[in-house]
Amino acid sequence: MGAPAGLQADCEALLSRFQEMDSVRFEDFTDLWRSMKFGTIFCGRMRNLEKNTFTKEALALAWRYFLPPYTFQIRVCALYLLYGLYNTQLCQPKQKIRVAVKDWDEILKFQQDLINAQHFDAAYIFRKLRLDRAFHFTAMPTLLSYRMKKKIQRAEVTEDFKDPNDHVMKLITSDVLEEMLNVHDHYQRMKHIISADRANPDKALSLIKDDFFDNIKSIVLEHQQWYKDRKNLSLKSKGKDGEEKSEGNSQQLERSERAESLAKIKSRAFSVFVQASKSRRHRQVKLDSSDSDSASSQRQTKATRKRKNKETLKPEGRKMSSRYRGDMQNVHKEDKSVSLSMPVITEEEEENESFSETEFTAPKRRRKHRTKSLV
Amino acid sequence: MAEGSRGGSTCGGGVGGRQNPVPSSGGCNFPEYELPEMNTRVFHVAAFGELWLGRLRGEGDLSLKEPPAPALPGGRGVADSGQEDEAVARDLGCSLEAAAELRAVCGLDKLKCLEEGEDPEVIPENTDLVTLGVRKRLLEHREETITIDRVCRQETFAYEMESHAIGKKPENPADMIEEGELILSVNILYPVIFHKHKEHKPYQTMLVLGSQKLTELRDSICCVSDLQIGGEFSNTPDQAPEHISKVRTIIEWSESHDRGYGKFQTAKMEDFTFNDLCIKLGFPYLYCHQGDCEHVVVITDIRLVHHNDCLDRTLYPLLIKKHWLWTRKCFVCKMYTARWVTNNDSFAPEDPCFFCDVCFRMLHYDSEGNKLGEFLAYPYVDPGTFS
């Protein structure tokens, strides 16, 4: 028998509401538990056999959320949920919580983390369950009876309760940033020391952007903010406060946003073209805007204008970057409401241009500079 | 391959002649899925037990004594609470005041959702819970269609089977199960003949102790084929034996990959306990007896014994689930279970036809005991006899 109808929905409702509370206190959990009257989930004149089966299923379901890969908060809530279900069940003697040996070490580690972080209420709850001998110590989490099911019911991990994989944050951690800052400072100091004029280092030694570290930091912070907003956004859209309409609207908004962003991508792909060399000028590709969308063509013209303002002899890399720049500014303005696209990091050609122009006039050097500015 | 550790286990480390189970070096004794959600890899039963015993505290986790009663708010003396708080403070590394506060904050009364006097069986009116919504609709539907919702025999039977031995303590303390004992849950599938059983094979579930010998499980499997008697008895109905005894033969355990080329290892069942075996959970094994009667056996679960389990070892192997089989009734009276089956019977409207003993004799024999008409008669043992 599969999980009883609605049980998963109810448990996930409880878990997500707890997640919104942004707390791990048992008091908050019990307030939520009482407000949802979750203890009544066993009511309804179930006969003995059904009571047993239902309780077993409920405990097994709650157990899943107690193990990784769920977030810390969800796992604590699952622990409280297990405590609640175990103690409010109507079976005599009580149905037990099954623990497989392969999971036990992880659970003990979790308990130790709770104690270290001084979440004494959660640790107390687990200790109490263990004292009450609420567990069955088993080989595997469920009974394996070699039933040839038509659909193998894989337990699906609810995405919202997981910490989504944030690869950027994994790569650029606070340790890495700190170290970068140290190295940068050290390098700058070295340059000062070995220069003739202590105040200003030799221009010849200016091989990197001075504000490189600040830029990276702000980019990372921006990313973090975007990430947080994205998470909050998806949480909010799950809220229950009369949002039929707003959901519909936001969906529409999303759809039109998607259409726009798709158009943007396409236009970008097709409008960037290589500046043909002198010998092949006759085969120069011309930009022919076929977009019916006025907004995007507007953007294009804006960008083209910007392009025209610059010096003509520029390698295509710069053109691309300025186009992106132009686009990005507009994108930021429009997409603030529902932004699910990742912010694009721009190459900051503009500020350094004057600097570069004075320093490196030869085209070769310019190219070199270009690559270096990507640092 | 269900092997004893003496027979050269595939787990590695099994040397011939050694009685001790394979030590738990981690590795191959952690039960883990071979086929996800279906069956595990091979592991040694006793070594798995050791994995748990090494991780648990004998006093608290493994004890089979009744645990101290849960704290009732206000129902305990101050001294008890003080002791408890001390223990909490020690275990969690918090202050005594914090421990006392925890006792209050995490009390069971905080989980109460019903007022005093509210019936726990009645679904509350304004509930958001989906589960209750479903259940309520079902109850309302029953009321509307005036369906009387009484428990049927089968359900009572199933519940009784599951729970009849729970918490039983032995009269003789020597029969008490020890702490740390393993309980295996074994499904034994019936030899399937009926077409209706194609999708969902009927089985019985037995609980067996790790320290019990394989022979003990074998002896507890009641198979109808053990009771079959060959021979046609239409001329001499009185000679059909009334009490039929089981014939024991040499048993072979083998892996049921495919009928035909399975690996066989003959081993004496009385020499091995379940603790000695290396098995896969959830994997079908084959148990043959009576020469060609085959049962598929699946070990579904292994766990440590709990103080709520049946603690009388004389009751194991314990039957906790049995498929309900309708017995075939006599064609004539429709009351008694069939004891005879006839073929080519001139008196019978169908072939084969089933009769209880009384109706069989009344129809086919005269008052002198002479055979009337033409027929072939065989003693019949109904599979539902054991229900």
Side-chain angles (χ1 to χ4, degrees):
Chain A
M1 174 197 169
L7 188 57
Q8 186 164 6
D10 289 330
C11 288
E12 294 205 341
L14 180 75
L15 287 165
S16 63
R17 280 169 73 167
F18 189 77
Q19 195 178 40
E20 275 167 31
M21 281 170 118
D22 236 5
S23 148
V24 288
R25 299 274 71 83
F26 185 65
E27 272 183 282
D28 297 328
F29 175 82
T30 48
D31 289 337
L32 184 58
W33 172 272
R34 280 197 304 270
S35 78
M36 287 180 79
K37 286 201 168 177
F38 212 87
T40 61
I41 207 163
F42 295 109
C43 295
R45 297 203 311 247
M46 283 193 286
R47 284 193 298 272
N48 286 326
L49 201 62
E50 193 190 344
K51 239 192 292 190
N52 282 354
T53 323
F54 177 77
T55 311
K56 277 186 219 169
E57 292 284 344
L59 291 172
L61 182 65
W63 179 256
R64 273 177 21 212
Y65 296 100
F66 182 48
L67 297 173
Y70 291 105
T71 69
F72 180 78
Q73 200 190 11
I74 292 292
R75 290 178 71 182
V76 174
C77 184
L79 174 63
Y80 294 155
L81 177 61
L82 283 167
Y83 183 71
L85 289 173
Y86 181 76
N87 284 302
T88 54
Q89 66 176 294
L90 301 170
C91 300
Q92 248 338 300
K94 290 199 178 352
Q95 293 297 328
K96 311 289 182 286
I97 304 167
R98 288 175 64 90
V99 191
V101 66
K102 61 184 170 77
D103 295 327
W104 185 248
D105 293 334
E106 171 60 48
I107 287 157
L108 286 186
K109 184 168 154 292
F110 186 70
Q111 169 78 342
Q112 196 53 49
D113 287 343
L114 290 175
I115 292 174
N116 294 343
Q118 304 205 324
H119 294 304
F120 291 127
D121 45 5
Y124 180 87
I125 296 285
F126 178 76
R127 179 182 176 278
K128 185 117 200 318
L129 278 174
R130 198 169 165 184
L131 271 184
D132 291 341
R133 288 196 224 134
F135 296 110
H136 265 170
F137 303 108
T138 69
M140 297 302 283
T142 54
L143 268 68
L144 301 169
S145 53
Y146 207 71
R147 291 286 185 81
M148 302 303 278
K149 292 180 205 142
K150 284 185 188 138
K151 289 180 275 179
I152 297 180
Q153 289 148 0
R154 294 273 161 85
E156 279 157 21
V157 176
T158 316
E159 285 302 319
D160 289 336
F161 297 151
K162 261 170 67 175
D163 272 327
N165 285 330
D166 189 4
H167 298 291
V168 177
M169 290 315 295
K170 275 189 193 150
L171 188 61
I172 306 187
T173 62
S174 50
D175 289 336
V176 171
L177 278 178
E178 206 179 297
E179 208 170 305
M180 261 197 250
L181 178 63
N182 289 338
V183 169
H184 187 75
D185 281 342
H186 191 69
Y187 177 69
Q188 298 291 61
R189 259 182 278 130
M190 285 296 288
K191 281 203 288 185
H192 277 91
I193 288 169
I194 65 176
S195 306
D197 170 11
R198 289 295 165 112
N200 288 319
D202 273 332
K203 294 279 170 69
L205 289 175
S206 299
L207 300 168
I208 63 157
K209 292 198 226 182
D210 282 343
D211 56 355
F212 138 77
F213 178 72
D214 293 320
N215 285 340
I216 260 216
K217 203 170 76 163
S218 64
I219 286 169
V220 167
L221 286 177
E222 204 183 299
H223 174 87
Q224 257 190 341
Q225 187 57 40
W226 166 79
Y227 191 73
K228 221 173 104 187
D229 290 342
R230 181 170 166 268
K231 235 176 35 175
N232 287 339
L233 186 72
S234 57
L235 273 181
K236 272 185 207 147
S237 66
K238 292 228 152 144
K240 283 186 185 171
D241 315 316
E243 15 359 65
E244 314 283 329
K245 226 184 177 189
S246 63
E247 257 177 28
N249 282 347
S250 66
Q251 268 173 28
Q252 259 191 333
L253 198 63
E254 269 175 44
R255 264 182 253 128
S256 62
E257 292 290 348
R258 271 191 83 225
E260 272 181 37
S261 44
L262 279 172
K264 242 183 285 158
I265 294 166
K266 272 192 211 154
S267 62
R268 238 184 263 149
F270 291 117
S271 58
V272 170
F273 52 91
V274 177
Q275 175 91 11
S277 61
K278 277 186 188 158
S279 56
R280 295 183 67 78
R281 277 280 167 76
H282 62 284
R283 290 189 133 251
Q284 177 69 51
V285 173
K286 286 215 174 63
L287 181 68
D288 181 21
S289 172
S290 57
D291 287 304
S292 52
D293 191 0
S294 57
S296 73
S297 61
Q298 238 182 28
R299 254 179 269 123
Q300 275 184 7
T301 45
K302 261 195 198 163
T304 342
R305 245 184 280 130
K306 267 207 167 170
R307 231 188 305 154
K308 284 200 181 125
N309 289 338
K310 302 216 189 304
E311 289 170 7
T312 48
L313 274 179
K314 277 196 190 143
E316 71 279 14
R318 289 209 186 157
K319 251 196 214 136
M320 248 202 288
S321 67
S322 60
R323 254 202 68 80
Y324 280 133
R325 202 62 188 315
D327 278 345
M328 270 323 293
Q329 284 178 352
N330 294 323
V331 164
H332 268 305
K333 280 179 206 151
E334 283 163 22
D335 292 358
K336 242 179 202 165
S337 47
V338 182
S339 171
L340 293 178
S341 53
M342 271 197 83
V344 177
I345 301 169
T346 59
E347 295 174 25
E348 282 147 49
E349 298 289 332
E350 322 267 288
E351 296 98 72
N352 294 334
E353 233 153 287
S354 48
F355 184 64
S356 64
E357 291 296 356
T358 50
E359 288 305 308
F360 304 99
T361 46
K364 269 194 191 162
R365 286 235 184 113
R366 209 181 284 148
R367 239 178 281 129
K368 247 199 225 164
H369 170 72
R370 188 161 54 85
T371 45
K372 276 185 192 152
S373 70
L374 285 171
V375 168
Chain B
M1 173 66 106
E3 306 167 349
S5 61
R6 271 196 278 158
S9 70
T10 51
C11 260
V15 178
R18 209 149 57 99
Q19 280 282 15
N20 303 325
V22 177
S24 55
S25 48
C28 67
N29 289 312
F30 254 104
E32 51 183 20
Y33 283 121
E34 183 180 63
L35 196 57
E37 313 292 331
M38 288 296 278
N39 63 274
T40 65
R41 285 189 232 279
V42 177
F43 64 92
H44 190 271
V45 174
F48 151 73
E50 288 297 318
L51 288 178
W52 266 126
L53 296 179
R55 286 166 166 74
L56 297 175
R57 301 190 290 252
E59 258 314 297
D61 302 311
L62 299 173
S63 168
L64 297 177
K65 301 191 196 75
E66 290 295 326
L72 297 160
R76 270 177 154 211
V78 178
D80 274 341
S81 308
Q83 266 185 339
E84 201 190 292
D85 289 345
E86 269 174 33
V88 170
R90 205 177 37 240
D91 288 342
L92 301 183
C94 64
S95 65
L96 271 179
E97 296 84 39
E101 202 189 315
L102 284 171
R103 189 160 34 86
V105 165
C106 301
L108 293 179
D109 55 322
K110 296 287 185 296
L111 295 168
K112 275 216 180 81
C113 293
L114 296 168
E115 306 298 319
E116 287 300 319
E118 264 189 278
D119 187 1
E121 297 290 13
V122 173
I123 298 180
E125 273 306 313
N126 48 343
T127 179
D128 282 330
L129 297 172
V130 180
T131 318
L132 288 183
V134 170
R135 214 174 280 155
K136 207 182 215 177
R137 273 201 297 278
L138 189 62
L139 289 176
E140 280 166 6
H141 175 79
R142 286 211 188 111
E143 270 193 47
E144 283 163 29
T145 57
I146 318 182
T147 312
I148 296 172
D149 191 22
R150 265 202 316 264
V151 58
C152 61
R153 284 184 294 167
Q154 286 88 332
E155 197 181 315
T156 312
F157 177 71
Y159 176 70
E160 276 305 311
M161 287 248 81
E162 204 178 273
S163 51
H164 72 283
I166 283 181
K168 273 208 176 123
K169 308 279 192 298
E171 285 182 7
N172 181 0
D175 291 333
M176 184 80 165
I177 294 180
E178 283 172 13
E179 286 177 11
E181 177 74 83
L182 291 171
I183 296 184
L184 291 90
S185 179
V186 183
N187 279 7
I188 302 152
L189 278 64
Y190 292 134
V192 169
I193 316 162
F194 311 119
H195 286 295
K196 67 181 175 186
H197 290 154
K198 249 191 253 171
E199 292 301 311
H200 176 82
K201 298 194 187 335
Y203 60 90
Q204 51 178 289
T205 307
M206 308 218 62
L207 296 181
V208 66
L209 299 174
S211 54
Q212 287 185 307
K213 300 207 182 72
L214 303 187
T215 44
E216 295 182 62
L217 179 64
R218 177 201 65 194
D219 292 344
S220 67
I221 298 177
C222 275
C223 181
V224 170
S225 64
D226 287 336
L227 309 176
Q228 299 298 345
I229 294 298
E232 206 269 320
F233 287 96
S234 61
N235 295 309
T236 53
D238 299 324
Q239 280 178 17
E242 285 257 342
H243 304 286
I244 303 151
S245 61
K246 278 195 248 190
V247 178
R248 310 245 165 107
T249 59
I250 296 182
I251 315 290
E252 290 169 344
W253 282 87
S254 75
E255 199 176 60
S256 83
H257 269 307
D258 232 298
R259 310 270 292 263
Y261 54 96
K263 280 180 275 181
F264 281 74
Q265 184 170 26
T266 313
K268 289 223 185 98
M269 287 176 81
E270 50 266 21
D271 289 343
F272 286 98
T273 66
F274 281 93
N275 277 333
D276 300 326
L277 295 180
C278 285
I279 49 147
K280 292 184 189 182
L281 277 187
F283 197 82
Y285 288 93
L286 199 62
Y287 160 54
C288 298
H289 69 135
Q290 294 291 340
D292 64 354
C293 183
E294 293 172 341
H295 296 266
V296 174
V297 169
V298 180
I299 304 172
T300 57
D301 181 34
I302 311 181
R303 63 175 172 81
L304 287 174
V305 67
H306 188 273
H307 74 267
N308 276 144
D309 293 324
C310 171
L311 298 176
D312 185 351
R313 64 178 312 125
T314 60
L315 294 175
Y316 286 90
L318 180 66
L319 184 62
I320 58 162
K321 187 173 157 114
K322 203 174 157 80
H323 187 80
W324 177 279
L325 289 167
W326 292 104
T327 58
R328 250 188 253 272
K329 299 288 191 287
C330 166
F331 182 79
V332 179
C333 63
K334 307 262 195 288
M335 269 205 321
Y336 292 101
T337 309
R339 293 264 317 276
W340 290 94
V341 60
T342 60
N343 291 124
N344 305 326
D345 192 345
S346 43
F347 295 112
E350 53 190 33
D351 194 326
C353 197
F354 297 89
F355 299 94
C356 69
D357 198 46
V358 173
C359 299
F360 172 69
R361 288 175 197 276
M362 273 207 306
L363 183 61
H364 297 90
Y365 300 92
D366 63 17
S367 47
E368 316 276 288
N370 300 315
K371 183 173 168 179
L372 306 169
E374 283 304 312
F375 60 91
L376 299 165
Y378 307 90
Y380 173 74
V381 182
D382 192 273
T385 304
F386 299 112
S387 284

